[in-house]
């Protein structure tokens, strides 16, 4: 009996050693990100990326994200802001921020070649060897450059199917030496693009303040405002029904200016459904972030959005997130608070947000919810005490 015990225990120990080894190897592989998995020829989504069934995307047919649920967002022609049609454009902007929290802009003033060169250098960055990209990995959320996979690969329970390069763009002179030195033209192309998006952001904020009836002097608060650029890479995924490029989330800043290539994938929540935002060549997708929802005292909406992946095409997107300087406290604008429209959110600062995301899994609209002072419509209809 003893002999049998010893033999079977040895066998079990031997097997579990093999399993642990295999697990470790798998772990190390997926910590290298999805571009690495794709380059290695992965044919199945590794377990760490598989979402619980209730959180999966329900893609109509595998690899085809074109469904009947496409949404044509309002397209705003910014060249009209400088014509007698300005008032009409402000009205369209205001409606879009209330109804969708999203809109697209064309004739935005950023030269096409600046945009194209940014997309192209981003593709070359993700096309470099893993070792080259990994030089920029960091677990410090405030590092001027951060390369990684998922959202927070140290904490995320389930990984999402994206790799990212995050570049802090403010203040440019001091962050620049930390940016990747290869591809050799990355810094030059990214500076041109960052300057273009900053100018566009300022123009949009000026229009948004006017549409809200808030004093324009507030605009100077953004001169040295935070500016984060996130280059997202979504390689083809063998089983796109099991995972997401990004789970449902809202963005923290005032506005996000998103450049998506010709491959669709971005979905926003609209009337309780996920709808796909069709790429419009040369346009930017602009969305209201949590800080603008707070600042507008809830008038403009920071809406949940997510990203689908597909089995055929690589997708690149570049998000520019703009807000006030990180040390500033953000609260509802005084012009928008009155007896009939009481303050809906607590004042907040960037430190509170960073603390929030590093202490919990980055998910859904929880940050904004955590700053709410009054009860939500859902709570009211459910009759819950606030
Ligand atoms: C983001 C984001 C959407 C996309 O970077 O916050 O929502 O299409 N990106 O990549
Ligand atoms: Ni986003």
């Amino acid at each position: 009996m003893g002999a049998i015990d010893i033999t079977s225990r040895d066998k079990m120990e031997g097997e579990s050693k093999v399993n642990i080894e295999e697990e470790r190897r798998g772990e190390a592989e997926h910590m290298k990100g999805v571009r690495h998995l794709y380059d290695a020829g992965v044919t199945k989504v590794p377990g760490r990326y598989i979402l619980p069934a209730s959180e999966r995307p329900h893609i109509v047919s595998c690899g085809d994200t074109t469904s009947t649920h496409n949404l044509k967002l309002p397209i705003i022609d910014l060249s009209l802001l400088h014509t007698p049609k300005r008032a009409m454009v402000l009205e369209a902007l205001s409606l879009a921020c209330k109804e969708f929290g999203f809109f697209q802009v064309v004739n935005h003033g950023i030269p096409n070649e600046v945009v194209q060169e940014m997309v192209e250098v981003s593709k070359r960055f993700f096309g470099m060897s893993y070792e080259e990209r990994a030089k920029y990995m960091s677990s410090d959320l405030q590092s001027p450059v951060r390369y990684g996979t998922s959202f927070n690969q140290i904490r995320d329970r389930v990984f999402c199917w994206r790799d990212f390069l995050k570049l802090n763009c403010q203040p440019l002179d001091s962050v620049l030496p930390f940016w990747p030195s290869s591809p050799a033209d990355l810094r030059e192309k990214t500076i041109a693009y960052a300057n273009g998006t900053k100018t566009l952001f300022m123009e949009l904020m000026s229009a948004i303040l006017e549409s809200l009836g808030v004093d324009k002097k507030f605009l100077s608060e953004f001169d040295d405002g935070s500016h984060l650029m996130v280059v997202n890479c979504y390689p083809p995924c063998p089983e796109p029904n099991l995972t997401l490029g990004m789970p449902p989330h809202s963005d923290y800043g005032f506005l996000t200016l998103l450049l998506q290539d010709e491959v669709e994938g971005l979905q926003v929540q609209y009337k309780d459904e996920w709808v796909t935002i069709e790429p419009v060549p040369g346009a930017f997708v602009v969305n209201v972030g949590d800080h603008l929802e707070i600042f507008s005292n809830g008038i403009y909406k920071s809406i949940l959005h997510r990203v689908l992946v597909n089995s055929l095409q690589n997708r690149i997107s570049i998000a520019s997130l703009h807000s006030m300087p990180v040390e500033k406290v953000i609260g509802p604008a005084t012009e928008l608070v009155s007896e009939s429209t009481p303050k809906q959110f607590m004042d907040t600062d960037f430190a509170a947000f960073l603390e929030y995301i590093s202490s919990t899994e980055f998910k859904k609209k929880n940050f904004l919810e955590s700053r709410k002072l009054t009860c939500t419509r859902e709570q009211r209809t459910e009759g819950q005490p606030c």
Side-chain angles (χ1 to χ4, degrees), residues 349-361:
D349 62 7
F350 196 73
F353 175 73
L354 279 182
E355 197 184 301
Y356 184 84
I357 54 166
S358 40
S359 66
T360 78
E361 241 184 287

Side-chain angles (χ1 to χ4, degrees), residues 101-231:
F102 271 81
F103 54 91
Q104 306 220 41
V105 291
V106 293
N107 293 328
H108 43 67
I110 305 181
N112 192 32
E113 73 188 46
V114 170
V115 170
Q116 286 317 317
E117 286 177 355
M118 184 66 216
V119 173
E120 194 255 338
V121 78
S122 302
K123 287 185 177 160
R124 278 189 281 126
F125 176 83
F126 285 101
M128 295 192 307
S129 69
Y130 168 73
E131 287 69 27
E132 192 58 43
R133 284 176 276 141
K135 288 181 185 166
Y136 307 103
M137 270 184 163
S138 165
S139 56
D140 175 6
L141 296 179
Q142 300 192 57
S143 163
V145 56
R146 204 153 72 81
Y147 173 75
T149 191
S150 194
F151 264 104
N152 179 342
Q153 68 197 83
I154 313 287
R155 286 182 176 274
D156 296 345
R157 181 178 41 91
V158 179
F159 276 20
C160 55
W161 197 266
R162 76 140 181 181
D163 291 344
F164 62 80
L165 175 68
K166 295 191 181 184
L167 299 172
N168 183 2
C169 302
Q170 170 66 32
L172 204 48
D173 291 347
S174 43
V175 291
L176 200 55
F178 296 95
W179 285 6
S181 49
S182 55
D185 55 343
L186 182 137
R187 292 183 188 176
E188 175 202 330
K189 302 287 159 59
T190 309
I191 293 172
Y193 182 80
N195 287 334
T197 55
K198 176 73 184 201
T199 306
L200 174 55
F201 166 72
M202 293 300 272
E203 180 164 39
L204 287 166
M205 267 324 293
S206 166
I208 280 179
L209 292 177
E210 194 173 328
S211 74
L212 285 168
V214 173
D215 197 324
K216 282 276 185 79
K217 74 173 187 311
F218 196 81
L219 198 59
S220 62
E221 300 273 355
F222 296 101
D223 286 341
D224 302 319
S226 76
H227 178 178
L228 178 72
M229 194 187 302
V230 186
V231 186

Side-chain angles (χ1 to χ4, degrees), residues 70-127:
N70 279 24
L71 180 69
K72 291 223 184 319
L73 279 182
I75 296 181
I76 296 183
D77 180 346
L78 287 187
S79 65
L80 298 178
L81 276 176
H82 312 288
T83 69
K85 291 191 171 154
R86 184 174 176 91
M88 202 187 78
V89 177
L90 294 184
E91 185 57 28
L93 208 57
S94 170
L95 274 177
C97 293
K98 287 176 186 162
E99 168 90 357
F100 303 103
F102 271 81
F103 54 91
Q104 306 220 41
V105 291
V106 293
N107 293 328
H108 43 67
I110 305 181
N112 192 32
E113 73 188 46
V114 170
V115 170
Q116 286 317 317
E117 286 177 355
M118 184 66 216
V119 173
E120 194 255 338
V121 78
S122 302
K123 287 185 177 160
R124 278 189 281 126
F125 176 83
F126 285 101

Side-chain angles (χ1 to χ4, degrees), residues 59-76:
I59 298 172
V60 184
S61 66
C62 191
D64 173 14
T65 57
T66 315
S67 71
T68 49
H69 297 307
N70 279 24
L71 180 69
K72 291 223 184 319
L73 279 182
I75 296 181
I76 296 183

Side-chain angles (χ1 to χ4, degrees), residues 246 249 251 305:
M246 264 194 220
H249 68 281
D251 297 345
H305 50 287

